Amino acid sequence: MSPLTTPPVLPPHYYLDNFLSIVDVVSTRYSDLLTETETHWLTAFSALPKNAQLLLVRLLTRKGDWFRCDKLVYPEIPDIESATTRLSEEGFLIETTQPPFEIVAKLMTKAELLSLYCHLSIKATLRKPEIIATIVENNNEEAVPPLPTRFLCLKHDVLPVFLLLYFGNSRQDLSQFVLNDLGIYRFENVRLRPEDRLFTSREQIADWLFLSSLADLYWEYTEAKEVTSALKVSQQLPEKPFWPPLTRKWERLANKLAREFERQKDEESAQHLFSQSSLPPARERLARIAIKQTRFEDAAAIVTDMLTAPKNEDEADVAARIARQLAKKTDCLSPEKAGEAFGSKHITLVLNERVELESARHYAQQGWQVWYCENSLLNALFGLLLWDIIFAPVPGAFLNPFQRAPRDMYSTDFTTARREMIEQRFEALEQGEYDLLAVYDAKFGITNDWVNWSWAERNMIEAALSTLSPTQIIACIKRILFDAKSNRAGHPDLFMVKEGKCQFVEVKGPGDKLQHHQVRWLNFFATHGLSAHTLYVSADLPKQPVDL
């Protein structure tokens, strides 16, 4: 959306319309997995007058289950008082003037608490948490003093279940509808198959929501740097589930907990969790713990397994490095260290801006047309070349209309399920029968996890297509497909063209060094005849005056 474009105005009841869209999908696709309470909730909700439906959806989408009546102000809802009464009568809300103290403490302001508990003579200079602590310590009466407003509590918060069933994940919510309606995000029009559903049992739903709550709790403690509390989350971690989507979710959380245990020197707890995870870097960490404990043979066995069947390129790379260390202490076979097949240059520049931009300016002065693109060029070529394949209606790939990519995008299943389509596309590109720029023009602005429209300029794509051969482009796409999650990163910073030729440049400023995944890409370019090198930039410091 350009700055001069007038943003669309949402209809006043947009959030109810969006909620009804979710309800429609949930009630048709998952009716057999809903509880009796949820089924009754849907039936009763449909019978509510519109103002009550509007208020209930507003409350469902707010944080928490408790609300103050005097704070409910929605201009589009006529007669909020009658809506509140109807929701209370129908059992959607509990209305009270005596909520638990923790709710009063949370929803009342500091000034209101001081007024309510004025008999305790609390100092007004105290912060709100200190005021609450003082009230708890000195107030022996169980009853809360008369409050200036009524409080409402949702009796059944069905939204987490409905959102999970609609989106198939715990990340997206009703804001996706708004972002789409406002034109901030535009999504590809994918065909959703009613028979495709993620969940097949109520137990899966409950386990998913519980794991999500644990992951959220761990994140909150980690952000607050409350390490002890974060690690206590492990005490609630259930046994590893067997259902693949939930297994991956469990392993991600287990890896985070295990890594934190390792940092806190609790290697026993770290090993216990890492040993149950199949996701990297679990095996790497187990090997490093074994080395730290001088269990070199155990470490060698783990590393040998990693080298034999690596989970991804990162794991293969790190296994080779550890194996070379272990070869000095065990019989562990280790691959030779790969050299750098690419060149490097060293220059000195005045760094008034970030080093990549100054380097781009340096090459532009030499007649190159330069783009500072990082990972955006190759990823855009990937997304544009395979656009319709990425959004093909493969069974189970799409569960909601707001997906940036299919659910199997970053697993080997993606290529396996679409191998024939991918091979046909490569053949079409080689024979000049696929117009990638036409796809760019037709799809511009539509959300695709591989195409960052802010960086993927059309003239950059055009320059790449005119200087890279179809064989080279296909080689890059195949490398990304081999390990999409890892290989979508590590691409050189700069792409440039001059006189019908192109080159990639990885820029390293003072004190910076190449990362392993960057070395792999640069070596790959050299193998496939693509010009690429590393540019090491030193800062040209201003001369200091000399005292005479």
Side-chain angles (χ1 to χ4, degrees):
M1 185 184 301
S2 69
L4 299 178
T5 303
T6 303
V9 177
L10 295 175
H13 301 159
Y14 70 92
Y15 55 91
L16 176 59
D17 296 335
N18 296 339
F19 181 75
L20 291 175
S21 296
I22 288 179
V23 164
D24 180 58
V25 171
V26 169
S27 59
T28 55
R29 186 181 295 176
Y30 286 108
S31 60
D32 59 313
L33 299 187
L34 298 179
T35 64
E36 184 178 344
T37 298
E38 290 160 354
T39 301
H40 174 74
W41 191 99
L42 288 171
T43 302
F45 178 81
S46 65
L48 288 173
K50 191 167 188 177
N51 69 329
Q53 288 184 338
L54 289 166
L55 178 59
L56 184 52
V57 174
R58 279 290 195 188
L59 298 182
L60 285 169
T61 53
R62 284 176 54 167
K63 188 175 181 179
D65 294 336
W66 283 88
F67 313 95
R68 295 173 52 156
C69 283
D70 61 340
K71 298 296 184 181
L72 300 181
V73 180
Y74 300 110
E76 79 281 4
I77 303 178
D79 197 354
I80 288 181
E81 186 66 31
S82 68
T84 301
T85 301
R86 183 63 179 270
L87 292 175
S88 179
E89 292 173 348
E90 298 294 336
F92 288 97
L93 297 175
I94 296 173
E95 189 173 343
T96 180
T97 57
Q98 289 289 308
F101 174 72
E102 59 266 24
I103 301 302
V104 174
K106 182 178 180 180
L107 298 184
M108 304 297 280
T109 66
K110 172 182 171 179
E112 288 172 328
L113 289 174
L114 289 172
S115 176
L116 281 172
Y117 293 91
C118 58
H119 59 284
L120 297 179
S121 301
I122 303 172
K123 293 182 179 179
T125 56
L126 294 178
R127 296 181 296 112
K128 186 178 178 181
E130 295 170 327
I131 293 172
I132 293 171
T134 302
I135 294 172
V136 172
E137 182 179 354
N138 295 285
N139 186 39
N140 295 322
E141 300 177 10
E142 293 186 5
V144 174
L147 299 173
T149 181
R150 305 189 321 278
F151 283 72
L152 304 174
C153 178
L154 287 172
K155 193 170 182 181
H156 301 295
D157 187 1
V158 297
L159 193 58
V161 172
F162 289 177
L163 291 178
L164 178 60
L165 294 178
Y166 181 84
F167 288 110
N169 61 70
S170 298
R171 303 181 305 276
Q172 294 174 289
D173 54 31
L174 280 162
S175 64
Q176 288 285 182
F177 288 89
V178 179
L179 294 172
N180 183 63
D181 292 342
L182 290 175
I184 297 174
Y185 292 129
R186 292 167 50 214
F187 293 89
E188 183 61 276
N189 184 21
V190 296
R191 183 164 65 87
L192 301 177
R193 295 154 37 101
E195 65 271 24
D196 286 344
R197 59 184 205 169
L198 178 59
F199 300 96
T200 58
S201 73
R202 185 69 196 197
E203 183 182 14
Q204 292 172 346
I205 299 171
D207 290 346
W208 189 295
L209 290 171
F210 182 65
L211 268 180
S212 292
S213 68
L214 289 185
D216 290 343
L217 192 61
Y218 174 80
W219 183 84
E220 290 172 8
Y221 285 136
T222 302
E223 285 293 297
K225 301 188 185 308
E226 298 178 18
V227 177
T228 302
S229 297
L231 291 178
K232 285 183 179 179
V233 170
S234 65
Q235 299 173 8
Q236 303 179 60
L237 192 66
E239 291 186 4
K240 182 178 176 179
F242 294 105
W243 182 44
L246 206 56
T247 300
R248 291 192 294 272
K249 189 175 180 68
W250 187 95
E251 290 179 333
R252 285 194 294 270
L253 179 56
N255 277 0
K256 292 176 183 177
L257 287 164
R259 191 70 179 98
E260 192 58 58
F261 274 122
E262 187 182 358
R263 293 189 186 97
Q264 301 305 316
K265 314 301 181 186
D266 186 350
E267 293 167 356
E268 182 179 354
S269 296
Q271 284 179 285
H272 174 69
L273 289 171
F274 277 137
S275 64
Q276 298 180 71
S277 175
S278 65
L279 293 181
R283 292 195 292 184
E284 174 196 348
R285 302 318 309 172
L286 287 171
R288 294 193 184 280
I289 290 172
I291 292 172
K292 187 175 181 180
Q293 297 175 342
T294 67
R295 294 184 291 107
F296 300 119
E297 294 297 335
D298 290 344
I302 296 170
V303 169
T304 299
D305 287 342
M306 293 169 66
L307 288 171
T308 303
K311 300 290 185 182
N312 55 36
E313 289 201 34
D314 281 335
E315 191 175 62
D317 207 13
V318 73
R321 296 198 300 274
I322 299 175
R324 287 190 286 272
Q325 298 172 17
L326 288 171
K328 303 172 184 177
K329 301 177 182 295
T330 69
D331 295 330
C332 181
L333 297 177
S334 62
E336 293 185 9
K337 184 177 181 180
E340 294 184 357
F342 51 92
S344 62
K345 298 180 180 180
H346 297 259
I347 63 171
T348 300
L349 295 175
V350 176
L351 300 180
N352 294 319
E353 293 185 269
R354 58 182 304 161
V355 66
E356 295 89 354
L357 295 176
E358 295 290 4
S359 299
R361 188 175 292 112
H362 165 77
Y363 282 103
Q365 291 170 352
Q366 298 179 5
W368 293 92
Q369 186 178 8
V370 189
W371 292 270
Y372 171 33
C373 56
E374 290 193 84
N375 303 310
S376 63
L377 174 57
L378 294 183
N379 286 347
L381 292 175
F382 181 99
L384 294 169
L385 181 64
L386 304 181
W387 189 289
D388 56 327
I389 299 173
I390 290 171
F391 292 101
V394 173
F398 292 92
L399 301 178
N400 73 74
F402 306 111
Q403 289 183 223
R404 303 165 59 93
R407 293 188 62 254
D408 60 355
M409 183 74 254
Y410 299 101
S411 76
T412 56
D413 295 340
F414 176 83
T415 302
T416 302
R418 303 161 180 82
R419 189 176 304 279
E420 185 176 349
M421 289 188 287
I422 292 171
E423 292 299 329
Q424 289 176 352
R425 180 56 44 79
F426 289 161
E427 183 178 350
L429 183 68
E430 287 181 320
Q431 295 178 358
E433 298 174 353
Y434 186 80
D435 190 343
L436 194 142
L437 285 174
V439 178
Y440 184 101
D441 295 335
K443 302 297 183 180
F444 184 80
I446 296 177
T447 302
N448 180 325
D449 212 21
W450 292 92
V451 184
N452 185 334
W453 296 109
S454 299
W455 289 67
E457 299 176 14
R458 192 183 193 280
N459 60 350
M460 179 180 71
I461 301 298
E462 190 171 12
L465 293 175
S466 65
T467 54
L468 297 173
S469 71
T471 301
Q472 290 171 328
I473 293 174
I474 290 170
C476 292
I477 303 305
K478 284 184 176 179
R479 181 165 195 270
I480 294 175
L481 281 171
F482 176 73
D483 182 3
K485 189 170 185 179
S486 297
N487 291 340
R488 65 177 291 134
H491 312 170
D493 297 305
L494 306 180
F495 173 73
M496 59 194 75
V497 296
K498 182 172 71 171
E499 299 174 355
K501 296 181 179 180
C502 70
Q503 69 174 354
F504 292 88
V505 177
E506 177 62 39
V507 179
K508 291 299 172 187
D512 199 4
K513 64 180 183 179
L514 285 171
Q515 302 299 310
H516 297 296
H517 64 323
Q518 294 171 336
V519 172
R520 291 197 297 266
W521 266 111
L522 290 168
N523 278 336
F524 171 85
F525 286 152
T527 302
H528 289 81
L530 285 160
S531 177
H533 64 265
T534 308
L535 182 71
Y536 291 97
V537 181
S538 299
D540 186 5
L541 300 176
K543 294 181 180 180
Q544 299 296 324
V546 178
D547 294 331
L548 299 177

